[in-house]
Amino acid sequence: MKNFALQKNFKIITILLFTVIALLASNSAFSQDFKVLGQGNNLARKSTTSKTTGLNEVNALVSQLLPTIYFLDGKVSTYGETSAIKLETDIQGIKSISEISSKLGSVKIAKIFLNTESDLNSTIDSELFNSGALKYIYVVSNFEVTESQIANMITPSNPDIIVLFSTSGK
């Protein structure tokens, strides 16, 4: 009987240990996945305590399941019962973002997908998010991009909005 209880406890502890390791690995991996536009960035200045706090906020906004507006392929869908904290869209959505501007008042992060290299010829007008809540624009590219290519897309440059980017491509 004692042996069975020990085996059961060992299995539970092993599962918990693997879960904790997986969570820690995914959180530390995220902070390495994106780049902040302009290495003399104000990510640390936006945070009251440190750069780590700013990175934790970004990590939470990107990775947690929060109220979100999805504006992809010209269609709007939402997740959550409260005002959206995140916007996920592509370049086509940015071109017609005025259609949903009334829903963007509490959006803190706009995650914008670049699907083709021709998307680099488009602009992302940071003034479209003039609610004051937007803190981050996070550009996710399916192909290799440079900091200057992303910087050229964002107009006008707004020191209150931190631009992040990552490449998930080949």
Side-chain angles (χ1 to χ4, degrees), residues 60-61 66-69 79 82-88 103-110 133-136:
L61 288 170
L66 298 169
T68 304
I69 297 171
Y79 169 79
T82 60
S83 297
I85 303 294
K86 295 191 315 189
L87 166 68
E88 292 196 14
K103 299 178 181 185
L104 301 177
S106 58
V107 169
K108 291 184 179 181
I109 186 165
L134 187 73
K135 293 180 170 185
Y136 308 101

Side-chain angles (χ1 to χ4, degrees), residues 21-39:
I21 290 171
L23 287 172
L24 290 174
S26 68
N27 283 339
S28 64
F30 174 80
S31 64
Q32 309 271 330
D33 288 342
F34 66 85
K35 297 177 185 171
V36 179
L37 196 62
Q39 291 304 311

Side-chain angles (χ1 to χ4, degrees), residues 77-151:
S77 59
T78 58
Y79 169 79
E81 303 276 326
T82 60
S83 297
I85 303 294
K86 295 191 315 189
L87 166 68
E88 292 196 14
T89 188
D90 53 19
I91 288 297
Q92 298 310 314
I94 289 294
K95 290 178 181 176
S96 52
I97 200 83
S98 61
E99 295 175 21
I100 63 165
S101 62
S102 63
K103 299 178 181 185
L104 301 177
S106 58
V107 169
K108 291 184 179 181
I109 186 165
K111 187 174 182 181
I112 303 166
F113 299 98
L114 302 180
N115 297 315
T116 65
E117 290 189 30
S118 65
D119 288 346
L120 291 171
N121 298 323
S122 301
T123 58
I124 300 169
D125 185 353
S126 64
E127 291 180 347
L128 291 172
F129 308 96
N130 58 3
S131 67
L134 187 73
K135 293 180 170 185
Y136 308 101
I137 295 176
Y138 179 34
V139 179
V140 180
S141 175
N142 286 336
F143 49 90
E144 289 297 321
V145 294
T146 65
E147 183 176 328
S148 64
Q149 288 173 309
I150 299 298

